[in-house]
């Protein structure tokens, strides 16, 4: 039974998957939150670990908080191999980030963040996070999100002149508002974040500190961004962005918060953990512990800086005039094109980016004034600074062609992109 492959069982889905593989192979993925995990990660993800229910944990926590690693804490039988894998994932994650405690069960970044709030706060408590419109995340208190509805939110943003975080202003806001939790971390901030300063502010006003390092986790592991783990009460991250694992997330915390966090994840928010994803996380953590991962992380930043410089040479205006990390926020207002139209034109040229608001944007999230680019996926393919110059030239020509409504030029660029991409196969 069940021995036929996808091509026999479901041609529609098979063909769509094959087309998606071709799209990524022939194009350039520049969305900063995307990446290509290894075949080994994908193999674990598509394994029999998918089939098992394992509510609970691979350890038993006694009422007094003592953790017994030699006793299972599962509510279902048959979990001896699942326990092996989840324990490996936890141990590797702890080693990778130097964390006291790690919960590897969160399904993704948004659940992970909500789980932290659920663990540390009462509904209605005050939280402080970065405004989505200025580079934060939906779950950092946006009004349309659960975080903005269940909690009383105060937002900080970036300085209007410099577009940088202003820690004095953030401190003043925290002192005035006295939030119970201060969230740091961003999805569209091209500069380094001083997590120690955020933690100092939180401690001084009696708030919990939390960093969401979803975007930069791989850079933290690679030593090219400050780690918040030594300072912050809690750190969340997805596992699929710069960290280059499967889609998923994890929560790291100080030992004293471990029981609260675990209880908020299960049974507080989630049921059965996705053990196939946890197996794939374990594989990705092993890869990230290899010395070569640091070279990859360093190259992501070098590539982003080379791409930023080349874009500026091509007349693009960048928010903060450059980048220290993996991402670039382009302000398109001097180019006579919106983020939405630029995204479409680049897509037609085989270059995938996403439209994005820039700080103090007068456009809307659906049609903003910027685009967001990043280098993790092209770095994984083995590209370096010289390819970044070529990519900047493709982007510049595509934007000019879009403004001139020159579809033939877009097609020519697409062929050039395809040729460049063909030298860097993704899965061999
Ligand atoms: N959607 C992610 C991003 O693209 O930044 C954040 O969750």
């Amino acid at each position: 039974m069940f021995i036929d492959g996808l091509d026999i069982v479901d041609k529609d889905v098979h063909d769509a998957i094959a087309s998606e593989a071709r799209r990524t192979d022939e194009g350039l993925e520049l969305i900063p939150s995307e990446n290509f995990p290894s075949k080994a990660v994908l193999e674990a993800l598509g394994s029999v670990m998918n089939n098992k229910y394992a509510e609970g944990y691979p350890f038993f926590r006694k009422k007094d908080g003592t953790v017994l690693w030699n006793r299972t804490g599962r509510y279902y039988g048959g979990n001896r191999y699942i326990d092996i894998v989840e324990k490996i994932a936890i141990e590797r994650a702890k080693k990778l980030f130097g964390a006291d405690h790690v919960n590897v069960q969160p399904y993704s970044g948004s659940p992970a963040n909500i789980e932290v709030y659920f663990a540390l706060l009462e509904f209605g408590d005050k939280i402080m996070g970065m405004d989505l419109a200025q580079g934060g995340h939906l779950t950092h208190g946006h009004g349309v999100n659960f975080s903005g509805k269940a909690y009383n939110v105060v937002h900080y943003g970036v300085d209007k002149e410099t577009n940088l975080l202003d820690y004095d202003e953030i401190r003043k806001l925290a002192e005035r508002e006295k939030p119970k939790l201060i969230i740091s971390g961003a999805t569209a901030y091209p500069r380094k974040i001083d997590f120690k300063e955020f933690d100092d502010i939180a401690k001084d006003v009696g708030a919990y500190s939390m960093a969401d390092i979803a975007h930069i986790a791989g850079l933290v592991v690679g030593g090219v961004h400050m780690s918040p783990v030594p300072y912050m009460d809690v750190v969340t991250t997805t596992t699929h962005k710069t960290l280059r694992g499967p889609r998923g997330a994890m929560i790291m915390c100080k030992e004293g918060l471990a029981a609260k966090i675990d209880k908020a994840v299960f049974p507080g928010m989630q049921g059965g953990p996705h053990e196939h994803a946890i197996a794939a996380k374990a594989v990705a953590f092993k890869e990230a512990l290899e010395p070569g991962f640091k070279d990859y992380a360093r190259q992501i930043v070098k590539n982003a800086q080379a791409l930023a410089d080349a874009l500026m040479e091509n007349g693009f205006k960048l928010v903060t005039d450059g980048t220290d990390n993996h991402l670039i926020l382009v302000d398109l207002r001097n180019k006579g094109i919106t983020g939405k139209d630029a995204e479409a034109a680049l897509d037609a040229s085989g270059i995938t980016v996403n439209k994005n608001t820039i700080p103090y944007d007068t456009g809307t999230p659906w049609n903003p004034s910027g685009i967001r680019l990043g280098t993790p996926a092209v770095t994984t393919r083995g590209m370096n600074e010289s390819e970044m110059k070529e990519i900047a030239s493709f982007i510049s020509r595509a934007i000019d062609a879009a403004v001139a409504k020159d579809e033939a030029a877009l097609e020519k660029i697409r062929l050039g992109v395809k040729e460049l991409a063909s030298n860097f196969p993704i899965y061999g």
Side-chain angles (χ1 to χ4, degrees):
M1 67 185 270
F2 294 154
I3 54 167
D4 288 332
L6 188 59
D7 54 338
I8 307 286
V9 174
D10 191 336
K11 191 164 167 6
D12 295 335
V13 170
H14 171 271
D15 289 356
I17 292 173
S19 299
E20 171 61 3
R22 196 162 49 247
R23 183 190 72 78
T24 48
D25 246 332
E26 294 181 354
L28 297 168
E29 289 299 313
L30 291 180
I31 291 179
S33 47
E34 294 184 10
N35 212 332
F36 303 116
S38 68
K39 273 188 177 173
V41 165
L42 294 181
E43 194 179 326
L45 199 55
S47 72
V48 293
M49 294 286 176
N50 172 72
N51 308 342
K52 192 76 196 86
Y53 257 117
E55 278 159 306
Y57 289 100
F59 53 78
F60 187 82
R61 183 176 276 116
K62 287 170 48 181
K63 284 213 164 57
D64 67 3
T66 315
V67 169
L68 303 177
W69 283 96
N70 56 358
R71 259 180 78 183
T72 187
R74 304 291 189 184
Y75 288 82
Y76 286 72
N79 274 306
R80 51 197 168 281
Y81 303 114
I82 295 287
D83 281 357
I84 290 173
V85 163
E86 192 167 332
K87 279 182 193 168
I88 290 174
I90 292 168
E91 281 315 308
R92 287 182 184 159
K94 282 167 73 171
K95 191 169 170 195
L96 201 52
F97 288 93
D100 287 358
H101 178 76
V102 182
N103 187 309
V104 294
Q105 294 191 359
Y107 300 142
S108 201
S110 297
N113 289 348
I114 304 289
E115 283 152 7
V116 174
Y117 309 155
F118 197 48
L120 304 182
L121 308 170
E122 299 297 327
F123 292 137
D125 277 351
K126 195 178 276 185
I127 63 173
M128 190 169 133
M130 191 172 184
D131 191 352
L132 174 66
Q134 302 212 356
H137 188 254
L138 263 181
T139 57
H140 297 180
H142 194 283
V144 299
N145 183 260
F146 180 87
S147 56
K149 293 187 190 294
Y151 302 100
N152 180 4
V153 180
V154 193
H155 275 134
Y156 58 86
V158 292
D159 178 79
K160 201 163 185 176
E161 294 301 314
T162 62
N163 290 325
L164 297 171
L165 288 167
D166 178 339
Y167 295 94
D168 291 337
E169 283 303 315
I170 293 167
R171 175 176 284 280
K172 276 189 212 153
L173 187 65
E175 284 171 351
R176 194 169 64 235
E177 296 288 344
K178 299 261 185 303
K180 196 164 167 198
L181 172 72
I182 298 182
I183 306 154
S184 50
T187 64
Y189 185 66
R191 296 295 175 178
K192 285 184 175 151
I193 297 175
D194 188 341
F195 290 120
K196 181 170 183 328
E197 183 64 30
F198 266 108
D199 185 64
D200 285 346
I201 295 170
K203 287 205 168 64
D204 290 346
V205 301
Y208 285 115
S209 60
M210 166 183 152
D212 174 348
I213 59 165
H215 266 256
I216 55 165
L219 305 187
V220 168
V221 169
V224 284
H225 195 293
M226 171 196 273
S227 171
V229 175
Y231 312 109
M232 299 263 170
D233 295 311
V234 185
V235 177
T236 62
T237 184
T238 51
T239 46
H240 51 272
K241 297 187 176 92
T242 48
L243 199 49
R244 208 164 57 182
R247 288 205 103 85
M250 63 183 178
I251 303 173
M252 297 170 258
C253 68
K254 296 282 183 264
E255 195 57 57
L257 295 174
K260 273 188 179 182
I261 292 288
D262 287 350
K263 200 168 159 204
V265 174
F266 171 82
M269 283 286 296
Q270 298 188 176
H274 294 175
E275 294 293 345
H276 58 308
I278 290 173
K281 287 174 199 179
V283 177
F285 300 154
K286 181 169 200 254
E287 292 170 350
L289 283 162
E290 298 290 331
F293 192 88
K294 286 195 163 51
D295 300 332
Y296 146 80
R298 273 194 289 270
Q299 192 61 45
I300 288 177
V301 177
K302 282 190 205 164
N303 281 351
Q305 290 174 340
L307 183 58
D309 289 345
L311 285 168
M312 288 190 286
E313 279 160 24
N314 279 282
F316 285 94
K317 188 168 165 14
L318 308 188
V319 172
T320 78
D321 299 318
T323 180
D324 304 323
N325 58 26
H326 64 303
L327 76 81
I328 295 164
L329 200 51
V330 183
D331 175 351
L332 291 166
R333 287 175 302 180
N334 67 338
K335 289 283 182 182
I337 189 167
T338 66
K340 183 166 171 257
D341 291 343
E343 178 191 291
L346 290 168
D347 206 14
S349 319
I351 299 173
T352 312
V353 305
N354 71 279
K355 54 183 170 287
N356 213 96
T357 51
I358 55 170
Y360 303 97
D361 207 328
T362 49
T364 63
W366 187 245
N367 198 10
S369 306
I371 48 174
R372 191 182 64 149
L373 321 177
T375 52
V378 287
T379 304
T380 292
R381 289 181 84 159
M383 296 187 189
N384 63 29
E385 289 93 324
S386 57
E387 282 78 37
M388 297 306 117
K389 285 197 178 132
E390 275 187 73
I391 293 173
S393 164
F394 286 134
I395 292 172
S396 179
R397 286 165 47 206
I399 298 298
D400 288 347
V403 171
K405 300 200 184 327
D406 185 346
E407 284 180 20
L410 289 180
E411 178 56 15
K412 205 167 155 202
I413 297 161
R414 190 185 69 76
L415 294 175
V417 165
K418 187 175 166 186
E419 196 186 330
L420 171 66
S422 70
N423 296 322
F424 299 89
I426 301 170
Y427 290 113

